[in-house]
């Protein structure tokens, strides 16, 4: 994707018709995206060992910080290139504010805990063995600072 749309600068593949699939030839104008927190930008584009770890395990970090999981009826792929097809409505699954007895906290439940306890729970999950505690703490602090959802869950 190296060819910019002359109207919105969205990147397209060579040979793709410009302006039709992105902005209707300049008819749709979106407000500029807000900058993400500076510590996240360093992790996204930096070259430090922490940034490399973040870029390598970004899916684990992303899932660790999620407030809910997504649910949908997913259709089995047919022949040809794999395509993620959803039938019906997309919904988000949230649980109770506290986990069941003996179960670990997950999703939004983690934002009710003290940050250190929440990060310890996240790092104890088997899928996060490659994640660094310092990055988990950075992400948790940034989300607690900028997300109105954290405040809403803590008030509940
Ligand atoms: Zn465009």
């Amino acid at each position: 994707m190296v060819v910019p749309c002359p109207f919105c600068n969205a990147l397209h593949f060579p040979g793709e018709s410009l302006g039709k699939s992105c902005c209707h030839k300049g008819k749709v104008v979106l407000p500029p995206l807000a900058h993400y927190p500076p510590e996240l930008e360093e992790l996204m584009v930096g070259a430090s060992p922490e940034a490399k770890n973040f870029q390598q395990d970004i899916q684990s970090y992303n899932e660790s910080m999620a407030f809910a999981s997504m649910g949908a009826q997913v259709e089995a792929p047919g022949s040809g290139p794999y395509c993620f097809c959803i039938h019906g409505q997309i919904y988000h699954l949230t649980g109770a504010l506290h986990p069941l007895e003996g179960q670990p906290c997950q999703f939004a439940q983690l934002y009710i805990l003290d940050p250190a306890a929440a990060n310890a729970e996240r790092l104890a999950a088997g899928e996060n063995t490659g994640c660094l505690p310092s990055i988990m703490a950075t992400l948790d602090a940034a989300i607690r600072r900028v997300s109105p959802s954290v405040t809403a869950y803590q008030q509940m």
Side-chain angles (χ1 to χ4, degrees), residues 63-100:
E63 291 171 0
S64 296
M65 297 296 149
F67 283 80
S69 63
M70 190 189 92
Q73 185 179 349
V74 179
E75 293 183 359
S79 59
Y82 178 74
C83 181
F84 184 78
C85 297
I86 295 173
H87 177 73
Q89 186 174 0
I90 295 174
Y91 49 92
H92 290 89
L93 304 171
T94 60
L97 288 176
H98 295 283
L100 296 173

Side-chain angles (χ1 to χ4, degrees), residues 5 7-10 12 19 22-23:
C5 168
F7 304 100
C8 71
N9 292 322
H12 295 265
C22 51
C23 64

Side-chain angles (χ1 to χ4, degrees), residues 26-60:
K27 292 179 187 164
V28 176
V29 179
L30 298 175
L33 294 173
H35 287 281
Y36 36 69
E39 63 270 40
L40 185 56
E41 184 161 355
E42 166 55 27
L43 292 173
M44 293 288 286
V45 299
S48 68
E50 276 193 331
K52 293 292 180 197
N53 175 274
F54 176 74
Q55 294 158 14
Q56 182 176 344
D57 288 332
I58 193 166
Q59 186 175 0
S60 295

Side-chain angles (χ1 to χ4, degrees), residues 96-98 108-114 118 144 150 153-154 156:
L97 288 176
H98 295 283
Q109 296 167 344
L110 291 164
Y111 292 98
I112 298 171
L113 300 177
D114 174 76
R144 287 176 191 265
V150 173
Y153 271 98
Q154 289 174 343
M156 283 191 273

